[in-house]
Amino acid sequence: MGRRINTTPPSKDPFTTGYVAVGIVAWTHGDPRKVIYPTDSQGQFCGQKGTKNENKPFLFYFNIVKCASPLVLLEFQCPTPQICVKQCPDRYLTFLNAHNSHDFEYYKQFCMPSFQNNKGVAEVLRDGDCPAVIIPSKPLFQRCFPAIHTNRGVLMVGNETTYEDGHGTRKNITELVEGAKRANMVLEARELAMQIFEDYTVSWYWIVIGLVIAMVLSLLFIILLRFLAGIMVWVMIVMVVLVLGYGIFHCYMEYSRLRGQAGSDVSLVDLGFQTDLRVYLHLRQTWMAFMIILSILEVVIILLLIFLRKRILIAIALIKEASRAVGHVMCSMLYPLVTFFLLCLCIAYWASTAVFLSTSNVAVYKIFDDTSCPLSGKTCNPETFPSVNESRQCPNGRCQFAFYGGESTYHRALLGLQIFNVFMFFWLANFVLALGQVTLAGAFASYYWAMHKPDDMPAFPLFSAFSRALRYHTGSLAFGSLILAIVQIIRVVLEYLDQRLKAAQNKFAKFLMVCLKCCFWCLEKFIKFLNRNAYIMIAIYGTNFCTSARNAFFLLMRNIIRVAVLDKVTDFLFLLGKLLIVGSVGILAFFFFTHRIRIVQDTALPLNYYWVPILTVIIGSYMIAHGFFSVYGMCVDTLFLCFCEDLERNDGSLERPYFMSPELRDILLSSQAGKQEEVEEE
């Protein structure tokens, strides 16, 4: 039992070769500076070293009111001339007043670089050589925005509530606000990202400490599970119930404390979305929602424990056997680090390729005209525009930078290359996960099929399983990963179509989209489950993917009761273990970052959003706990399939003895005999 059939190594994969070629092409044509630095009307970067704008880091808008135009949403560019400047203006001046005064030298730095003072005022303003007016501004993300402030609820620039537009007309400040809002639309998200980044720079070492605590707790839990599996499982169950109970009690106390406080009775619907999540913690409805969610979770867990109380004893026996297997292959606990490292490489390659692909376009220039010119919005060439027919048809038009794009074959293929990039990322990520699963399964299978444990095991079971997987099974792993990647890319396309069709009023189309999304979600879950068990059969017998998947499926179907009773109960117990670790670390992080621990009250630094480090610690703790428990989960699944195969191949006689340990045989076979007697009595 446990003989392995060597499969033929796969030939060179053209998809991987193509993926490397796509990355090389993207890195050759791409330019990440396009998403970092602002761009002026000539398509040149502001503040980029080695260019003529190296000492001009800020982008200045000639007339920011034009940014309120719908063109901003269509072209992502304000229909007004923009130049790079050394500093944003700090005074209020009009070109009309500054033209023949000592302020003109200051004013000229906000004119086009090609500006020459040989035209009249009207001609300069008509040709867009200089702005009609400059307003005190402040830099925000390397862009100059009007320094608008509020004085007793009134919007003002400097000491004025109106401003002169440079053509002799005074306008209200609200027009400036509207233009700044549109120009700042994309930047608001970046501002939030910067605040979150600041929180990370302040609290990163505390986040690391929290993750280290989670790792120590996970490792301690696994070590104790190795020697005290039964006791630890029951302690884990009780602790999860107690932690959830404390959460319910804390939510109730907060709910009671806020009774009668001003503003605490505002509903979540009326409040709407707020980037500062601390606002929600001052609402009674928030704590009521938390309390209801935790109460439902507590009741569900208690009911499941009552219903599965007998099955838990059987699952504990399987966990004990898994603990012994892990004890003989302790280096398996470190293998998730290998998987994590390989996944990081996949993510880094995908992300860098995506950025270079998205920035491999060329500058596209379009005609911008304030009048009703029929050619407005058409592409143009800034070098030849003054002498071509378009400039005569649009005398007030300007040929300025609009966005990065292109009309060549390569540029038209960029969307397809991005989809291919995402597809290959899914494929490679699934392959890395499959490699980890078949490696762990091979190591734990060598433990199960050893008649005299651990003497008959290989010297280095994990390394042996890893080398076998790379040498003989890469084709099978790639095929299984390909099937899963195809389903996942279809789900991505469906999500994209769903976002595009949200405005549609066709109810049948919405219903069909929901059905398709649900079906492919179920299909993905089923394929993941089937692949996991197929990889175990590959590790045991060395058969190809299709044969292993078929054998695993029918083996599970013949033992469907055991699958439901044993395998899924252990998954439930491991989930409780993850919740216990994540809940404990999460509660500690919440009390620390909200300054509720008196001993370290002065240690935690003030943050923009204290939920940033808390969520990071919670998510990181779950990933760490999942990494440790995934090894146990793979061990249980492998031993379970080996156990089912052992029962079908052997009968416990001297000629065909069982390979399972005596402890596992006694509790599993005795429980099976008890169930058969109950069925016969009925």
Side-chain angles (χ1 to χ4, degrees):
M1 188 63 60
R3 292 179 292 107
R4 294 175 178 83
I5 303 172
N6 294 345
T7 58
T8 304
S11 58
K12 289 185 178 180
D13 182 12
F15 287 95
T16 305
T17 305
Y19 195 29
V20 174
V22 169
I24 294 174
V25 171
W27 297 335
T28 303
H29 293 81
D31 189 354
R33 295 177 302 173
K34 296 173 183 177
V35 296
I36 300 175
Y37 299 98
T39 310
D40 65 11
S41 297
Q42 280 71 44
Q44 299 171 343
F45 303 118
C46 298
Q48 171 62 26
K49 292 183 178 180
T51 65
K52 64 179 183 179
N53 290 329
E54 180 177 356
N55 298 322
K56 298 179 179 180
F58 305 112
L59 184 68
F60 173 74
Y61 300 91
F62 274 28
N63 187 1
I64 201 169
V65 176
K66 297 290 183 65
C67 294
S69 168
L71 283 174
V72 177
L73 301 178
L74 297 175
E75 308 289 357
F76 298 100
Q77 187 79 355
C78 293
T80 184
Q82 299 152 51
I83 61 171
C84 300
V85 296
K86 293 182 179 179
Q87 60 183 8
C88 296
D90 58 3
R91 64 185 77 172
Y92 179 88
L93 289 171
T94 65
F95 183 79
L96 187 62
N97 295 331
H99 186 249
N100 294 316
S101 68
H102 63 280
D103 294 322
F104 192 62
E105 287 299 319
Y106 175 82
Y107 201 101
K108 282 198 304 184
Q109 64 179 316
F110 301 103
C111 296
M112 286 291 183
S114 59
F115 168 70
Q116 295 180 356
N117 193 15
N118 57 359
K119 298 180 182 179
V121 175
E123 191 177 1
V124 169
L125 297 180
R126 184 197 64 194
D127 296 339
D129 294 333
C130 293
V133 60
I134 59 173
I135 297 173
S137 305
K138 292 182 179 179
L140 177 63
F141 296 107
Q142 294 184 257
R143 291 160 173 84
C144 297
F145 288 99
I148 301 171
H149 63 278
T150 304
N151 186 9
R152 297 180 180 179
V154 179
L155 293 175
M156 304 183 71
V157 173
N159 297 321
E160 300 289 336
T161 57
T162 61
Y163 74 100
E164 186 178 336
D165 64 355
H167 299 281
T169 305
R170 298 200 68 85
K171 294 187 176 181
N172 197 288
I173 299 299
T174 53
E175 295 187 33
L176 280 178
V177 175
E178 219 29 61
K181 279 184 179 179
R182 287 293 178 91
N184 196 35
M185 189 177 296
V186 179
L187 300 179
E188 288 179 352
R190 293 181 60 181
E191 183 179 5
L192 175 62
M194 288 298 297
Q195 290 177 341
I196 293 175
F197 179 75
E198 290 175 3
D199 289 341
Y200 278 126
T201 58
V202 171
S203 60
W204 66 269
Y205 46 92
W206 294 112
I207 294 175
V208 171
I209 292 174
L211 296 180
V212 170
I213 293 175
M215 185 174 65
V216 171
L217 286 178
S218 300
L219 186 60
L220 181 63
F221 195 93
I222 294 298
I223 294 174
L224 292 176
L225 201 62
R226 165 70 178 88
F227 300 101
L228 304 169
I231 297 175
M232 285 303 299
V233 168
W234 288 111
V235 169
M236 174 182 65
I237 292 172
V238 173
M239 288 297 295
V240 168
V241 174
L242 291 178
V243 168
L244 288 176
Y246 174 77
I248 296 171
F249 171 75
H250 180 76
C251 291
Y252 174 76
M253 294 301 295
E254 292 291 333
Y255 177 79
S256 301
R257 183 181 63 83
L258 292 173
R259 182 182 291 118
Q261 290 191 13
S264 62
D265 292 326
V266 177
S267 66
L268 295 173
V269 177
D270 295 335
L271 182 63
F273 176 74
Q274 301 290 328
T275 55
D276 188 356
L277 297 187
R278 288 173 293 188
V279 176
Y280 295 106
L281 299 182
H282 296 287
L283 303 179
R284 299 185 70 207
Q285 197 175 88
T286 302
W287 294 104
M288 173 61 74
F290 287 160
M291 186 167 57
I292 292 174
I293 293 172
L294 292 177
S295 299
I296 293 174
L297 189 60
E298 179 91 325
V299 171
V300 169
I301 290 177
I302 291 176
L303 290 177
L304 285 174
L305 291 174
I306 295 174
F307 178 74
L308 300 173
R309 62 188 185 279
K310 294 182 179 179
R311 277 78 174 178
I312 290 176
L313 296 175
I314 304 173
I316 289 175
L318 197 57
I319 292 176
K320 287 181 178 179
E321 186 68 13
S323 298
R324 283 189 284 270
V326 172
H328 291 300
V329 195
M330 280 302 294
C331 55
S332 62
M333 302 303 300
L334 300 177
Y335 189 82
L337 296 177
V338 178
T339 302
F340 177 75
F341 173 73
L342 294 177
L343 283 177
C344 287
L345 290 181
C346 293
I347 294 172
Y349 187 87
W350 162 76
S352 59
T353 303
V355 170
F356 276 90
L357 280 175
S358 62
T359 58
S360 59
N361 293 308
V362 295
V364 174
Y365 299 86
K366 290 194 174 185
I367 300 174
F368 290 87
D369 198 327
D370 299 335
T371 62
S372 57
C373 175
L375 299 179
S376 181
K378 300 293 183 180
T379 57
C380 60
N381 188 335
E383 296 180 358
T384 61
F385 180 74
S387 59
V388 296
N389 188 43
E390 284 83 352
S391 63
R392 289 187 289 272
Q393 295 184 44
C394 298
N396 296 323
R398 300 177 305 276
C399 182
Q400 70 178 53
F401 170 77
F403 55 86
Y404 286 101
E407 298 296 332
S408 67
T409 303
Y410 170 72
H411 294 117
R412 286 195 294 267
L414 282 178
L415 178 60
L417 293 177
Q418 287 284 21
I419 295 175
F420 179 73
N421 183 33
V422 174
F423 169 73
M424 288 302 301
F425 166 71
F426 284 143
W427 194 357
L428 290 177
N430 290 326
F431 180 84
V432 169
L433 295 175
L435 178 63
Q437 291 174 349
V438 79
T439 299
L440 292 174
F444 296 131
S446 65
Y447 164 82
Y448 186 94
W449 296 114
M451 181 61 70
H452 302 93
K453 303 174 177 59
D455 298 333
D456 293 344
M457 293 177 60
F460 303 99
L462 190 69
F463 178 78
S464 300
F466 182 75
S467 60
R468 282 195 305 271
L470 287 180
R471 184 177 181 183
Y472 299 116
H473 306 316
T474 51
S476 296
L477 301 183
F479 184 71
S481 304
L482 173 63
I483 296 174
L484 185 56
I486 291 174
V487 176
Q488 289 173 334
I489 198 66
I490 292 175
R491 289 194 63 200
V492 170
V493 172
L494 288 176
E495 288 291 341
Y496 173 76
L497 293 176
D498 188 34
Q499 294 296 324
R500 295 294 299 269
L501 297 175
K502 271 189 174 179
Q505 300 297 323
N506 192 326
K507 293 184 178 180
F508 177 76
K510 292 182 179 179
F511 172 76
L512 183 62
M513 183 61 66
V514 171
C515 291
L516 287 174
K517 290 170 63 176
C518 180
C519 290
F520 277 96
W521 180 85
C522 295
L523 181 61
E524 181 183 355
K525 295 299 180 184
F526 173 75
I527 291 177
K528 283 184 177 180
F529 173 77
L530 186 62
N531 281 8
R532 182 181 178 91
N533 291 282
Y535 296 147
I536 295 174
M537 299 300 284
I538 289 173
I540 297 174
Y541 295 108
T543 51
N544 60 47
F545 176 81
C546 294
T547 303
S548 300
R550 183 192 62 204
N551 294 339
F553 178 77
F554 287 112
L555 181 62
L556 292 172
M557 290 300 102
R558 291 193 298 269
N559 297 270
I560 190 63
I561 302 299
R562 291 194 181 99
V563 172
V565 172
L566 297 179
D567 199 34
K568 296 309 168 187
V569 171
T570 54
D571 288 344
F572 173 67
L573 293 178
F574 289 149
L575 176 62
L576 293 184
K578 297 176 192 176
L579 292 178
L580 176 60
I581 294 172
V582 173
S584 302
V585 177
I587 290 175
L588 179 63
F590 174 78
F591 280 98
F592 176 79
F593 288 109
T594 55
H595 308 276
R596 302 194 182 195
I597 303 178
R598 294 183 178 179
I599 302 177
V600 291
Q601 210 166 30
D602 299 329
T603 305
L605 298 174
L607 303 169
N608 295 309
Y609 308 108
Y610 67 79
W611 52 266
V612 171
I614 294 176
L615 286 181
T616 305
V617 169
I618 290 176
I619 295 173
S621 300
Y622 180 81
M623 293 177 64
I624 291 172
H626 179 73
F628 281 99
F629 279 95
S630 65
V631 176
Y632 255 83
M634 198 66 203
C635 183
V636 168
D637 289 346
T638 303
L639 297 182
F640 177 74
L641 275 185
C642 292
F643 165 75
C644 294
E645 191 76 11
D646 196 7
L647 282 181
E648 293 188 356
R649 302 286 183 182
N650 305 301
D651 56 9
S653 62
L654 293 176
E655 294 78 12
R656 292 189 299 168
Y658 289 127
F659 283 82
M660 67 187 77
S661 65
E663 297 85 359
L664 187 63
R665 181 180 64 240
D666 292 342
I667 190 166
L668 290 180
L669 294 183
S670 62
S671 63
Q672 183 68 18
K675 290 178 183 178
Q676 290 179 353
E677 292 178 0
E678 291 178 1
V679 172
E680 292 175 357
E681 290 178 359
E682 293 178 356

